[in-house]
Each structure stands twice: as C-alpha cells, then as structure tokens.
Amino acid sequence: MQVAIDGPASAGKSTVSKIVAERLSFIYIDTGAMYRAVTLLAIERGVALSDEESITTLAKAIIIDFRLIDGVQHIYINQIDRTDDIRTPEVAANVSAVSAIAGVREQMVALQRNLAGEHDVVMDGRDIGTTVLPNAKVKIFLTASVESRAKRRQEDFQSKGINLALAQLEQDISARDYKDSHRAISPLKKAHDAVEIDTTNMTISDVVEAIIAVVKKNQEKNS
Ligand code: CDP
Ligand code: CDP
C-alpha cells in the first residue's frame, strides 16, 4: 500500500505523514530530506550549483539511510547523522536549484521507488502522486496559505532558539514554491486523482484524521 502526500513548503506534510505512518504501521519516507541531503553535500564540498554534472555525480554516490531513534526519524548521510544539518536556511535557499537537476531527480526517484517496493509506505514530497508513485492508492495534496505556512516555520525555528522575521520567511517560502512549481521536470502539481486538503485552519490532528479517513475509505473499497 502506498500513500502519497504532496504539497508546498510547510503545508505540514512531514508532520502529518509521520503520524499517519505510525497509525498505519507503515514506513515514512521524507523525500524532501533526500534532496536536502544532496544540497548539503554540494555546499560543503564547494560544488557550484550551476555545475549539474558534478552534483549529479554526487547524487549517484550518496548513501542515505533513515533510522528511527526514540520515535524520531534521523537521516544518515554517508553513515553520519545529519538530521539537523539539512534544515538550515542555507540548505533551504539552495535546495530548489539542486532538485531541478535531471540527473539528481533520476537518482532520487529510483531510490524512492526502491524503498516503496520493499515496504508499505507513506511518502511525502512534491511529485510523489504525479511521478514517483503514480499508482499510489491514496494521494493527498496538502495546502495552506503562505502566511500560515511562514508562521508555522517561524515557530519551528523559535522552538530551536532561532528567531527569523515573518516577512522574510514568507518571501523565502513563496520563492521556493514558485521554483518548485515552474521547473521543467516533475514540477509541484496536484495529481488529478489526489484529494486536496487546505490545512490553513486545521490542527495537526484534524489533518491526520482527514487522511486516515481517505485511507480507510480506500481500504474498504478494495476489500
Ligand atoms: O519541508 P519543506 O517543505 O521545507 O521542504 P522539503 O519537503 O524538505 O523539500 C525541500 C525541497 O526539495 C523542495 O523545496 C523541493 O525543491 C525539493 N523536493 C522535490 O523537488 N521533490 C520532492 N519529492 C521533495 C522535495
Ligand atoms: O513537511 P512540510 O514542509 O510540508 O511541513 P512540516 O515540516 O511538517 O511543518 C509544518 C509545521 O506546521 C510543523 O511545525 C507543524 O507542527 C505545524 N502545523 C502543521 O504541520 N499542520 C497544521 N495543521 C498546523 C501546524
């Protein structure tokens, strides 16, 4: 069984996907973290973002593992825990350029399909319902207003002791949404058979219940 969850930055995809996966005893796969991983390595190794060939080579060699430690999902890049390092504003500012590179997408999509072939999964990202798992039984498209998404991101950083201006976050999120929706390969787009949920005025648990209801309905239909 595959549950595909797509949507723009900070719509709540990873937060709710994690909980939905736990509830269903499925594996959760955060595909955004994979593009962030490639971006982090490119920055650290001083590779220019315009050097598509070198970044593709890097994506071909990267080893990414997700491990659950005390209920928290950690990402290991080349055997080292880099969970916090992939969430910096610098990585966020550069990830859309890296994820638009054809060779990078090819590598990441192949890895994602392998993972989904081995387990029941909840997978979140931008192109899961359209490209990675076009036959997923359940497809969800999560949205929310830019204002509320910026506020959520601000609160996330605040909880780590980092204060970021709301206007700047709104601008960053809008810029990333624009790049992700306008790139040539697998742009962010609602799959024609996805259920859209506007989470602007919903709590996390409201969203989780709405998704579980779609999954249950699908399971009943197919039983
Ligand atoms: O958590 P947040 O919404 O900030 O983003 P993310 O899910 O961590 O994804 C980071 C970036 O990776 C996105 O802005 C996209 O550029 C890229 N991405 C993608 O191209 N395709 C995916 N399936 C997932 C993420
Ligand atoms: O993965 P994505 O970028 O779509 O979003 P996220 O990283 O899950 O971040 C969403 C933030 O908004 C988290 O801090 C959540 O606690 C919060 N939030 C939410 O996810 N859903 C709501 N309905 C309300 C708040």
Side-chain angles (χ1 to χ4, degrees), residues 8-15 124 152-153 156 199 202-204 207:
S10 292
K13 299 180 299 299
S14 53
T15 305
D124 82 333
R152 290 174 188 177
R153 185 98 345 161
D156 271 349
T199 73
M202 292 171 82
T203 64
I204 293 166
V207 183

PDB file of all heavy atoms in Angstrom, residues 8-15 124 152-153 156 199 202-204 207, ligand 2:
ATOM      1  N   PRO A   8       3.040  22.212  -1.085  1.00  0.00           N
ATOM      2  CA  PRO A   8       4.107  23.217  -0.996  1.00  0.00           C
ATOM      3  C   PRO A   8       4.809  23.197   0.367  1.00  0.00           C
ATOM      4  O   PRO A   8       4.398  22.467   1.265  1.00  0.00           O
ATOM      5  CB  PRO A   8       3.349  24.532  -1.212  1.00  0.00           C
ATOM      6  CG  PRO A   8       1.966  24.252  -0.748  1.00  0.00           C
ATOM      7  CD  PRO A   8       1.703  22.806  -1.065  1.00  0.00           C
ATOM      8  N   ALA A   9       5.868  24.018   0.480  1.00  0.00           N
ATOM      9  CA  ALA A   9       6.682  24.071   1.698  1.00  0.00           C
ATOM     10  C   ALA A   9       5.842  24.398   2.931  1.00  0.00           C
ATOM     11  O   ALA A   9       4.998  25.298   2.901  1.00  0.00           O
ATOM     12  CB  ALA A   9       7.780  25.119   1.524  1.00  0.00           C
ATOM     13  N   SER A  10       6.083  23.675   3.990  1.00  0.00           N
ATOM     14  CA  SER A  10       5.465  23.916   5.304  1.00  0.00           C
ATOM     15  C   SER A  10       3.949  23.771   5.332  1.00  0.00           C
ATOM     16  O   SER A  10       3.291  24.369   6.174  1.00  0.00           O
ATOM     17  CB  SER A  10       5.840  25.308   5.844  1.00  0.00           C
ATOM     18  OG  SER A  10       7.185  25.332   6.135  1.00  0.00           O
ATOM     19  N   ALA A  11       3.418  22.961   4.439  1.00  0.00           N
ATOM     20  CA  ALA A  11       1.969  22.702   4.493  1.00  0.00           C
ATOM     21  C   ALA A  11       1.650  21.705   5.612  1.00  0.00           C
ATOM     22  O   ALA A  11       0.484  21.489   5.942  1.00  0.00           O
ATOM     23  CB  ALA A  11       1.500  22.169   3.145  1.00  0.00           C
ATOM     24  N   GLY A  12       2.698  21.098   6.167  1.00  0.00           N
ATOM     25  CA  GLY A  12       2.505  20.131   7.252  1.00  0.00           C
ATOM     26  C   GLY A  12       2.729  18.700   6.804  1.00  0.00           C
ATOM     27  O   GLY A  12       2.433  17.753   7.542  1.00  0.00           O
ATOM     28  N   LYS A  13       3.295  18.521   5.622  1.00  0.00           N
ATOM     29  CA  LYS A  13       3.439  17.174   5.064  1.00  0.00           C
ATOM     30  C   LYS A  13       4.208  16.224   5.974  1.00  0.00           C
ATOM     31  O   LYS A  13       3.705  15.153   6.284  1.00  0.00           O
ATOM     32  CB  LYS A  13       4.170  17.236   3.705  1.00  0.00           C
ATOM     33  CG  LYS A  13       3.450  18.052   2.655  1.00  0.00           C
ATOM     34  CD  LYS A  13       4.218  18.063   1.348  1.00  0.00           C
ATOM     35  CE  LYS A  13       5.611  18.676   1.434  1.00  0.00           C
ATOM     36  NZ  LYS A  13       5.635  20.103   1.846  1.00  0.00           N
ATOM     37  N   SER A  14       5.419  16.638   6.387  1.00  0.00           N
ATOM     38  CA  SER A  14       6.222  15.672   7.146  1.00  0.00           C
ATOM     39  C   SER A  14       5.615  15.412   8.516  1.00  0.00           C
ATOM     40  O   SER A  14       5.600  14.266   8.973  1.00  0.00           O
ATOM     41  CB  SER A  14       7.688  16.107   7.241  1.00  0.00           C
ATOM     42  OG  SER A  14       7.774  17.396   7.738  1.00  0.00           O
ATOM     43  N   THR A  15       5.099  16.456   9.155  1.00  0.00           N
ATOM     44  CA  THR A  15       4.497  16.274  10.486  1.00  0.00           C
ATOM     45  C   THR A  15       3.346  15.276  10.428  1.00  0.00           C
ATOM     46  O   THR A  15       3.295  14.325  11.206  1.00  0.00           O
ATOM     47  CB  THR A  15       3.979  17.638  11.015  1.00  0.00           C
ATOM     48  OG1 THR A  15       5.058  18.558  10.981  1.00  0.00           O
ATOM     49  CG2 THR A  15       3.434  17.524  12.420  1.00  0.00           C
ATOM     50  N   ASP A 124       6.215  11.522   1.397  1.00  0.00           N
ATOM     51  CA  ASP A 124       5.813  12.911   1.133  1.00  0.00           C
ATOM     52  C   ASP A 124       6.856  13.643   0.292  1.00  0.00           C
ATOM     53  O   ASP A 124       8.027  13.282   0.280  1.00  0.00           O
ATOM     54  CB  ASP A 124       5.483  13.665   2.429  1.00  0.00           C
ATOM     55  CG  ASP A 124       6.712  14.204   3.143  1.00  0.00           C
ATOM     56  OD1 ASP A 124       7.796  13.629   2.980  1.00  0.00           O
ATOM     57  OD2 ASP A 124       6.580  15.207   3.871  1.00  0.00           O
ATOM     58  N   ARG A 152       4.130  28.935  10.761  1.00  0.00           N
ATOM     59  CA  ARG A 152       4.498  27.600  11.259  1.00  0.00           C
ATOM     60  C   ARG A 152       6.015  27.424  11.245  1.00  0.00           C
ATOM     61  O   ARG A 152       6.604  26.911  12.183  1.00  0.00           O
ATOM     62  CB  ARG A 152       3.865  26.510  10.381  1.00  0.00           C
ATOM     63  CG  ARG A 152       2.366  26.415  10.540  1.00  0.00           C
ATOM     64  CD  ARG A 152       1.796  25.410   9.540  1.00  0.00           C
ATOM     65  NE  ARG A 152       0.340  25.447   9.542  1.00  0.00           N
ATOM     66  CZ  ARG A 152      -0.419  24.723   8.729  1.00  0.00           C
ATOM     67  NH1 ARG A 152       0.141  23.912   7.864  1.00  0.00           N
ATOM     68  NH2 ARG A 152      -1.725  24.808   8.797  1.00  0.00           N
ATOM     69  N   ARG A 153       6.618  27.854  10.140  1.00  0.00           N
ATOM     70  CA  ARG A 153       8.082  27.702  10.032  1.00  0.00           C
ATOM     71  C   ARG A 153       8.775  28.564  11.095  1.00  0.00           C
ATOM     72  O   ARG A 153       9.745  28.145  11.701  1.00  0.00           O
ATOM     73  CB  ARG A 153       8.507  28.096   8.620  1.00  0.00           C
ATOM     74  CG  ARG A 153       9.913  27.895   8.300  1.00  0.00           C
ATOM     75  CD  ARG A 153      10.403  26.687   7.569  1.00  0.00           C
ATOM     76  NE  ARG A 153       9.640  25.490   7.387  1.00  0.00           N
ATOM     77  CZ  ARG A 153       9.893  24.572   6.464  1.00  0.00           C
ATOM     78  NH1 ARG A 153      10.889  24.764   5.641  1.00  0.00           N
ATOM     79  NH2 ARG A 153       9.202  23.473   6.352  1.00  0.00           N
ATOM     80  N   ASP A 156       8.654  26.813  14.320  1.00  0.00           N
ATOM     81  CA  ASP A 156       9.606  25.695  14.317  1.00  0.00           C
ATOM     82  C   ASP A 156      11.004  26.172  14.694  1.00  0.00           C
ATOM     83  O   ASP A 156      11.677  25.576  15.531  1.00  0.00           O
ATOM     84  CB  ASP A 156       9.714  25.080  12.901  1.00  0.00           C
ATOM     85  CG  ASP A 156       8.694  23.987  12.683  1.00  0.00           C
ATOM     86  OD1 ASP A 156       8.065  23.564  13.667  1.00  0.00           O
ATOM     87  OD2 ASP A 156       8.547  23.558  11.524  1.00  0.00           O
ATOM     88  N   THR A 199      -5.133  23.063   4.873  1.00  0.00           N
ATOM     89  CA  THR A 199      -4.909  22.906   6.323  1.00  0.00           C
ATOM     90  C   THR A 199      -4.806  24.237   7.067  1.00  0.00           C
ATOM     91  O   THR A 199      -4.490  24.240   8.252  1.00  0.00           O
ATOM     92  CB  THR A 199      -3.611  22.093   6.579  1.00  0.00           C
ATOM     93  OG1 THR A 199      -2.471  22.925   6.284  1.00  0.00           O
ATOM     94  CG2 THR A 199      -3.553  20.833   5.733  1.00  0.00           C
ATOM     95  N   MET A 202      -6.739  24.142  10.138  1.00  0.00           N
ATOM     96  CA  MET A 202      -6.887  22.807  10.742  1.00  0.00           C
ATOM     97  C   MET A 202      -5.743  22.529  11.709  1.00  0.00           C
ATOM     98  O   MET A 202      -4.619  22.982  11.478  1.00  0.00           O
ATOM     99  CB  MET A 202      -6.884  21.729   9.644  1.00  0.00           C
ATOM    100  CG  MET A 202      -8.117  21.761   8.749  1.00  0.00           C
ATOM    101  SD  MET A 202      -7.916  20.640   7.331  1.00  0.00           S
ATOM    102  CE  MET A 202      -8.359  19.058   8.046  1.00  0.00           C
ATOM    103  N   THR A 203      -6.030  21.764  12.756  1.00  0.00           N
ATOM    104  CA  THR A 203      -4.944  21.334  13.641  1.00  0.00           C
ATOM    105  C   THR A 203      -4.280  20.120  13.003  1.00  0.00           C
ATOM    106  O   THR A 203      -4.821  19.524  12.070  1.00  0.00           O
ATOM    107  CB  THR A 203      -5.486  20.906  15.025  1.00  0.00           C
ATOM    108  OG1 THR A 203      -6.315  19.758  14.828  1.00  0.00           O
ATOM    109  CG2 THR A 203      -6.277  22.023  15.689  1.00  0.00           C
ATOM    110  N   ILE A 204      -3.121  19.761  13.555  1.00  0.00           N
ATOM    111  CA  ILE A 204      -2.417  18.579  13.025  1.00  0.00           C
ATOM    112  C   ILE A 204      -3.315  17.358  13.131  1.00  0.00           C
ATOM    113  O   ILE A 204      -3.429  16.571  12.193  1.00  0.00           O
ATOM    114  CB  ILE A 204      -1.093  18.367  13.807  1.00  0.00           C
ATOM    115  CG1 ILE A 204      -0.142  19.520  13.491  1.00  0.00           C
ATOM    116  CG2 ILE A 204      -0.447  17.027  13.464  1.00  0.00           C
ATOM    117  CD1 ILE A 204       1.035  19.640  14.416  1.00  0.00           C
ATOM    118  N   VAL A 207      -5.930  17.131  10.468  1.00  0.00           N
ATOM    119  CA  VAL A 207      -5.395  16.730   9.160  1.00  0.00           C
ATOM    120  C   VAL A 207      -5.133  15.216   9.145  1.00  0.00           C
ATOM    121  O   VAL A 207      -5.478  14.524   8.188  1.00  0.00           O
ATOM    122  CB  VAL A 207      -4.094  17.512   8.815  1.00  0.00           C
ATOM    123  CG1 VAL A 207      -3.596  17.140   7.429  1.00  0.00           C
ATOM    124  CG2 VAL A 207      -4.324  19.021   8.909  1.00  0.00           C
TER     125      VAL A 207
HETATM  126  O1  CDP B   2       6.771  18.974   5.548  1.00  0.00           O
HETATM  127  P1  CDP B   2       6.244  20.362   5.361  1.00  0.00           P
HETATM  128  O2  CDP B   2       7.268  21.332   4.959  1.00  0.00           O
HETATM  129  O3  CDP B   2       5.038  20.401   4.483  1.00  0.00           O
HETATM  130  O4  CDP B   2       5.727  20.849   6.771  1.00  0.00           O
HETATM  131  P2  CDP B   2       6.287  20.490   8.222  1.00  0.00           P
HETATM  132  O5  CDP B   2       7.761  20.460   8.223  1.00  0.00           O
HETATM  133  O6  CDP B   2       5.537  19.301   8.700  1.00  0.00           O
HETATM  134  O7  CDP B   2       5.997  21.769   9.039  1.00  0.00           O
HETATM  135  C1  CDP B   2       4.785  22.174   9.386  1.00  0.00           C
HETATM  136  C2  CDP B   2       4.820  22.894  10.720  1.00  0.00           C
HETATM  137  O8  CDP B   2       3.487  23.363  10.904  1.00  0.00           O
HETATM  138  C3  CDP B   2       5.118  21.982  11.911  1.00  0.00           C
HETATM  139  O9  CDP B   2       5.793  22.721  12.896  1.00  0.00           O
HETATM  140  C4  CDP B   2       3.758  21.593  12.437  1.00  0.00           C
HETATM  141  O10 CDP B   2       3.756  21.391  13.829  1.00  0.00           O
HETATM  142  C5  CDP B   2       2.889  22.792  12.062  1.00  0.00           C
HETATM  143  N1  CDP B   2       1.477  22.521  11.704  1.00  0.00           N
HETATM  144  C6  CDP B   2       1.129  21.527  10.837  1.00  0.00           C
HETATM  145  O11 CDP B   2       2.017  20.805  10.351  1.00  0.00           O
HETATM  146  N2  CDP B   2      -0.177  21.274  10.480  1.00  0.00           N
HETATM  147  C7  CDP B   2      -1.142  22.017  10.977  1.00  0.00           C
HETATM  148  N3  CDP B   2      -2.397  21.770  10.628  1.00  0.00           N
HETATM  149  C8  CDP B   2      -0.820  23.046  11.857  1.00  0.00           C
HETATM  150  C9  CDP B   2       0.515  23.287  12.184  1.00  0.00           C
END
